[in-house]
Amino acid sequence: GDSVTQMEGPVTLSEEAFLTINCTYTATGYPSLFWYVQYPGEGLQLLLKATKADDKGSNKGFEATYRKETTSFHLEKGSVQVSDSAVYFCALGMDSNYQLIWGAGTKLIIKP
Amino acid sequence: DTGVSQNPRHKITKRGQNVTFRCDPISEHNRLYWYRQTLGQGPEFLTYFQNEAQLEKSRLLSDRFSAERPKGSFSTLEIQRTEQGDSAMYLCASNVGGGKTDTQYFGPGTRLTVL
C-alpha cells in the first residue's frame, strides 16, 4: 500500500545551519506531496506542497522538490532559526481515497 | 476564516466511559476529516465526510466509534466504552473539494487520556 518514510529524529542543529529532512514515499499512482509542521502546543499547519513531478514547493525559507525518479520529497532550509524547532511531517495525498498518508514525523531542535 | 476549532482540548476519562468530541470546520468547507495521532507517530485516518454524508471509514474505526455531521457543518466523534488504547490526540481537518492537491486545514486537536 501507499506509505511515507521519514528520517528518524530528533535532529539537532545549531542556529544558521543547513537543514535536510529526508522523506521518501511509495505510491501506486501519482500523489501530491505535503510537508506539515507542528509547533509545540499547536495544530498541524501546511508548510509547503507539490502536486506533480519536478514541482518545487517553498515557504518561509523551506523548500522541497517532488522527485518522481527517486520517489522523494526532501525538506531543506539554508539557515535554520531557533523558531524552526518543531515536528515536521511528510504526507501524501491520492485521488483514490482522499485521506492523507503520513510519515512518523521528525522532531527538529535548533540550539542558539 | 477563524480556522478549525475542536472541543474540548483535553479530556480525561475512566475506562468504560463514553466520550464525545466536537469539531467545527472552516465555514463553507464541505469536506471534514477525523484522524488519530499517538505519541511519536503521524496521524492515522479515521473517517471523512462530504457535507453530511460519511463517505469512508478506516478499519481503525471499530464499532465503539461513531461520527456524525448532521447538517453538514460541525461534526462529532463519539467513543463508547473507552479503553486505555484509545488514549491519543484526535484531530479534525477540513477543506473544499477534497482532491489530492487540496490542502487539509487542521484544528488543534482533542487529547484524550483514558485512565
Side-chain angles (χ1 to χ4, degrees):
Chain A
D2 302 331
S3 65
V4 175
T5 302
Q6 287 182 238
M7 65 188 291
E8 287 191 22
V11 173
T12 303
L13 296 172
S14 297
E15 206 166 20
E16 299 183 3
F18 184 86
L19 168 70
T20 300
I21 300 178
N22 290 338
C23 170
T24 57
Y25 68 90
T26 301
T28 53
Y30 302 97
S32 291
L33 298 170
F34 303 81
W35 277 102
Y36 278 79
V37 59
Q38 190 169 37
Y39 297 104
E42 298 185 17
L44 286 159
Q45 304 174 23
L46 178 71
L47 182 59
L48 53 84
K49 69 180 182 182
T51 60
K52 60 182 187 296
D54 299 325
D55 269 2
K56 178 187 282 188
S58 61
N59 186 27
K60 299 181 181 180
F62 290 88
E63 293 183 342
T65 300
Y66 187 158
R67 302 282 189 202
K68 183 166 175 280
E69 62 277 11
T70 55
T71 62
S72 65
F73 193 54
H74 304 321
L75 183 68
E76 296 181 336
K77 186 175 185 183
S79 177
V80 292
Q81 305 300 313
V82 172
S83 58
D84 294 326
S85 298
V87 181
Y88 292 80
F89 291 91
C90 185
L92 68 83
M94 300 291 292
D95 272 332
S96 56
N97 54 21
Y98 307 112
Q99 61 177 284
L100 289 174
I101 296 170
W102 299 79
T106 303
K107 184 173 184 178
L108 176 64
I109 301 169
I110 306 300
K111 295 188 173 181
Chain B
D1 287 336
T2 56
V4 178
S5 61
Q6 292 186 246
N7 287 288
R9 294 289 304 274
H10 303 274
K11 178 70 177 178
I12 300 174
T13 191
K14 293 182 178 179
R15 189 175 48 158
Q17 298 295 304
N18 300 343
V19 295
T20 300
F21 311 140
R22 176 176 170 131
C23 170
D24 288 87
I26 294 171
S27 62
E28 299 183 358
H29 278 191
N30 61 340
R31 287 185 183 250
L32 185 147
Y33 309 78
W34 285 100
Y35 292 85
R36 182 174 69 184
Q37 185 180 19
T38 53
L39 200 62
Q41 299 298 317
E44 296 174 293
F45 171 77
L46 293 178
T47 188
Y48 92 95
F49 293 83
Q50 179 167 315
N51 299 312
E52 67 276 9
Q54 188 174 17
L55 296 186
E56 188 174 344
K57 292 194 290 186
S58 162
R59 60 177 173 76
L60 294 175
L61 215 65
S62 75
D63 57 5
R64 296 185 298 106
F65 288 71
S66 62
E68 294 183 340
R69 194 182 183 198
K71 297 183 179 180
S73 57
F74 73 91
S75 176
T76 58
L77 178 68
E78 181 183 16
I79 309 174
Q80 296 183 326
R81 305 181 304 281
T82 53
E83 302 172 356
Q84 287 186 327
D86 297 330
S87 296
M89 179 76 85
Y90 290 83
L91 302 172
C92 177
S94 70
N95 64 6
V96 176
K100 68 178 182 181
T101 63
D102 295 318
T103 300
Q104 293 184 19
Y105 296 87
F106 283 81
T110 294
R111 181 169 295 284
L112 173 66
T113 302
V114 182
L115 302 176

